[in-house]
Amino acid sequence: MNKVFHPKLVSVLKQGYSKEQFSKDLFAGIIVGIVALPLAIAFAVASGVSPEKGLITSIVAGLIISLLGGSRVQIGGPTGAFIVIVYGILQTYGLDGLIISTIMAGIFLIAFGLLKLGSLLKFIPHPLVVGFTSGIALVIFTTQIKDALGLQLDKLPSEFLPKWGTYISHLGDVNLVALVITIVTILISVYFKKITTKIPGSFVAIILVTAVVQIFKLPVSTIETVFGDIPQSISLTVPSIDFSQLHVYLAPALTIALLGGIESLLSAVVSDGMIGGNHRSNTELIAQGIANVVTPFFGGIPATGAIARTATNVKNGGRTPIAGAVHAVTLLFIMLFFGQWAKLIPMSCLAGILIVVSYNMSEWRSFVSIMKGSAFDILILLVTFFLTVLVDLTFAIEIGIVLSALLFMKRMADAGTKPEFEVDSDVLENYSNLPKELGIYEISGPFFFASAKQYSSTLKQIGLKSEVLIIRMRHVPFIDSTGLHNLKDVVKQIQSNGTTVFLSGVRPNVAKDMEKGKLFELIAPENVLPAFDQALLKASECLRNKAV
């Protein structure tokens, strides 16, 4: 049990915790708390629940995830990815159904962690992740058009295309004041960082826009006119549970668990790259599960690791789970003492913030990059994207995973019919006589979504210990976009450490995909050699130059 569940906080405290690091964590936690305030409210409102539920989720779940999680810097709370799911569950099962589904999802996540399934999430291909993330971003953007334009619509279709049809048919009813507020909010949120990065633009936008609306009594909808007062307390909520009907909630619960697990571990991986750390995936899943079991009893909604807030934590000096705990306490303080003014926030201001969030979520650069890659990756990307937007997120993920497996088998079959590409000579095979500053790693087999994480992890370990690294790829029949994505990340990390990277024996089809994926913008083409002995000669020359 100890090996499966070992919170990072315990390790941090055992290693010694300095006053200097506490001051950094304190500052980072306060900043992240301020960043999280408008997002927590906006995510809750967009999900169809009252604003305080977003705050409660950030406070309760955020604290639990930081104290019990497997990452040093993970920030937990409500995220944009859950908006579509939560809204759909509310429409179908009601608030009690959402609470029950979230608790069951938490139990699933705990089970995933106890069964050591954290590593299985590496089998989620990069095009699939980008496809459903971009799809969710478009859906979130679509849901905000009503408030962004100030439209007074009693009934809005839930489907994507009919929703846009309704918007277009009501363009004559646009509230120009609301539209201006939305645009101003977007501009402040995006460009305020040019003045300072210490205070988030979304927070500044909320303060300024709300003040102007109240001073000049502008005719726009606010949180108060839609939801009423925001409670300034946290109380225990017990749902009405009919145990004979629990099977009804299995599908939505599994959806929450899968998406929460994927997003939290993706966030942990991203933060690992930023701080040079290694998270404990199974511990993180168990902590996420406990948070989702506990939080609904206090009126919260599903929670997971939040990539943007986690990155903000790292950039502001947070390096231990204490920063995440401070973020939760900061939000609690704001809710208890300043919550009465939050009800005055205009709905169009929240829409502006969520439009910026949806843009940042869209991963359009990755989308465009994958569209330039192989036909297999493009197919997975587009199928997942359109199913997410037009049908259902759960269905999109299921079809995407099945399609990825089928296409992988097709690529393996195609690779098996091709002649072996072998130009590396067998000379100098005895690595033991080579300089200790030279690292060599040979990849055998496809560099694809199931193997990419393991290959990249080993490359990182070897590369950070070496001055020069040769990656032998003579036995790599193909590389997919997940492999390329991971390889580019690890090359950036080890090159930032001063390590020079060489490739040898890259097959023509693999080199073509690498060029499309812009890997050769990181590794100079002259450092890509057809044979190992040629790479070894250049690597030795590089070592001599470094020694001078």
Side-chain angles (χ1 to χ4, degrees):
M1 177 66 180
N2 290 335
K3 292 181 180 179
V4 178
F5 184 62
H6 188 193
K8 277 286 186 179
L9 180 61
V10 175
S11 300
V12 167
L13 296 179
K14 281 183 177 179
Q15 293 167 1
Y17 187 63
S18 66
K19 290 182 179 178
E20 181 183 1
Q21 186 55 57
F22 174 72
S23 64
K24 291 180 180 179
D25 287 337
L26 180 65
F27 175 77
I30 292 172
I31 293 297
V32 177
I34 294 172
V35 170
L37 175 66
L39 295 177
I41 293 173
F43 291 150
V45 170
S47 299
V49 297
S50 52
E52 81 280 357
K53 294 189 182 301
L55 291 172
I56 290 169
T57 305
S58 289
I59 294 166
V60 179
L63 183 63
I64 293 172
I65 290 169
S66 292
L67 296 182
L68 302 181
S71 168
R72 295 176 68 95
V73 292
Q74 183 88 281
I75 301 296
T79 65
F82 276 128
I83 289 176
V84 180
I85 295 174
V86 172
Y87 187 84
I89 294 173
L90 273 174
Q91 297 302 307
T92 306
Y93 304 104
L95 185 57
D96 277 352
L98 174 62
I99 293 173
I100 296 168
S101 298
T102 306
I103 294 170
M104 290 176 64
I107 294 171
F108 280 137
L109 283 167
I110 293 172
F112 292 165
L114 292 176
L115 294 172
K116 299 183 180 180
L117 300 181
S119 59
L120 290 182
L121 291 175
K122 69 185 178 184
F123 292 102
I124 304 297
H126 183 58
L128 193 153
V129 173
V130 173
F132 76 67
T133 303
S134 299
I136 290 170
L138 180 57
V139 172
I140 292 173
F141 172 76
T142 301
T143 61
Q144 296 311 300
I145 298 301
K146 171 179 173 289
D147 289 327
L149 300 180
L151 299 176
Q152 300 297 318
L153 300 173
D154 295 330
K155 192 75 173 177
L156 193 62
S158 58
E159 296 82 8
F160 179 80
L161 294 178
K163 191 171 291 183
W164 276 103
T166 302
Y167 291 150
I168 293 170
S169 65
H170 285 81
L171 285 179
D173 301 327
V174 170
N175 181 335
L176 292 179
V177 175
L179 179 59
V180 170
I181 288 174
T182 301
I183 295 171
V184 169
T185 300
I186 292 172
L187 293 175
I188 295 174
S189 298
V190 172
Y191 292 107
F192 189 77
K193 61 186 175 185
K194 294 185 178 295
I195 300 174
T196 178
T197 57
K198 297 298 181 183
I199 303 174
S202 56
F203 182 77
V204 175
I206 276 186
I207 299 297
L208 293 179
V209 169
T210 302
V212 169
V213 168
Q214 292 304 309
I215 291 171
F216 294 99
K217 306 295 182 184
L218 298 180
V220 293
S221 299
T222 65
I223 287 177
E224 183 178 25
T225 60
V226 177
F227 295 98
D229 289 335
I230 296 180
Q232 292 176 256
S233 62
I234 299 177
S235 57
L236 195 64
T237 303
V238 180
S240 174
I241 302 176
D242 182 354
F243 289 95
S244 66
Q245 294 297 311
L246 286 184
H247 65 279
V248 173
Y249 306 109
L250 284 175
L254 194 56
T255 301
I256 293 171
L258 287 175
L259 183 59
I262 292 169
E263 188 169 6
S264 64
L265 295 189
L266 281 175
S267 176
V269 168
V270 170
S271 64
D272 280 350
M274 297 177 73
I275 65 174
N278 287 296
H279 74 282
R280 297 165 184 156
S281 58
N282 294 313
T283 297
E284 186 65 23
L285 287 179
I286 293 171
Q288 298 283 342
I290 294 171
N292 280 287
V293 168
V294 174
T295 304
F297 286 103
F298 293 92
I301 57 178
T304 185
I307 296 176
R309 276 160 277 171
T310 299
T312 302
N313 181 32
V314 173
K315 290 175 183 177
N316 284 279
R319 289 296 182 275
T320 79
I322 300 297
V326 171
H327 134 269
V329 173
T330 300
L331 281 170
L332 176 62
F333 181 85
I334 293 173
M335 180 178 179
L336 294 178
F337 298 100
F338 299 100
Q340 58 184 318
W341 290 294
K343 66 183 180 182
L344 304 178
I345 299 172
M347 296 296 290
S348 50
C349 180
L350 292 180
I353 290 171
L354 282 169
I355 287 173
V356 174
V357 168
S358 65
Y359 174 81
N360 292 333
M361 274 185 68
S362 67
E363 297 197 52
W364 66 269
R365 292 179 181 84
S366 295
F367 198 103
V368 171
S369 176
I370 294 171
M371 288 295 294
K372 296 177 181 177
S374 73
F376 298 99
D377 291 331
I378 293 172
L379 181 60
I380 294 170
L381 174 76
L382 294 181
V383 167
T384 308
F385 174 78
F386 284 113
L387 286 178
T388 299
V389 173
L390 300 175
V391 185
D392 174 72
L393 176 62
T394 308
F395 187 66
I397 294 176
E398 291 171 351
I399 295 298
I401 290 174
V402 172
L403 184 60
S404 299
L406 292 174
L407 291 178
F408 167 69
M409 289 187 281
K410 172 72 167 60
R411 294 184 80 162
M412 284 300 292
D414 291 344
T417 61
K418 294 177 180 177
E420 177 70 13
F421 181 76
E422 179 65 82
V423 296
D424 280 3
S425 68
D426 290 327
V427 299
L428 299 170
E429 288 285 0
N430 187 356
Y431 296 164
S432 62
N433 296 326
L434 300 176
K436 65 179 187 303
E437 298 86 2
L438 175 62
I440 298 173
Y441 183 61
E442 180 160 6
I443 299 173
S444 295
F447 202 149
F448 74 120
F449 60 87
S451 60
K453 184 176 176 63
Q454 184 61 46
Y455 283 148
S456 299
S457 176
T458 307
L459 277 170
K460 179 180 174 182
Q461 292 175 21
I462 297 173
L464 293 177
K465 296 176 183 176
S466 311
E467 292 187 23
V468 175
L469 173 67
I470 299 176
I471 305 174
R472 302 191 68 180
M473 304 190 72
R474 57 180 176 165
H475 297 308
V476 177
F478 69 84
I479 184 169
D480 70 1
S481 62
T482 309
L484 257 176
H485 177 76
N486 285 30
L487 183 57
K488 286 167 65 177
D489 279 349
V490 77
V491 167
K492 287 177 186 176
Q493 289 180 47
I494 60 180
Q495 285 184 339
S496 67
N497 192 53
T499 303
T500 304
V501 179
F502 291 89
L503 301 180
S504 78
V506 181
R507 299 186 182 198
N509 63 305
V510 175
K512 185 178 179 181
D513 286 336
M514 286 179 168
E515 186 175 7
K516 286 182 180 178
K518 300 184 178 180
L519 178 66
F520 296 147
E521 292 180 6
L522 300 175
I523 302 175
E526 59 266 24
N527 287 1
V528 183
L529 290 307
F532 175 65
D533 51 351
Q534 294 175 2
L536 189 58
L537 287 173
K538 288 209 69 171
S540 300
E541 181 184 348
C542 181
L543 279 174
R544 287 195 295 272
N545 292 336
K546 287 190 174 192
V548 174

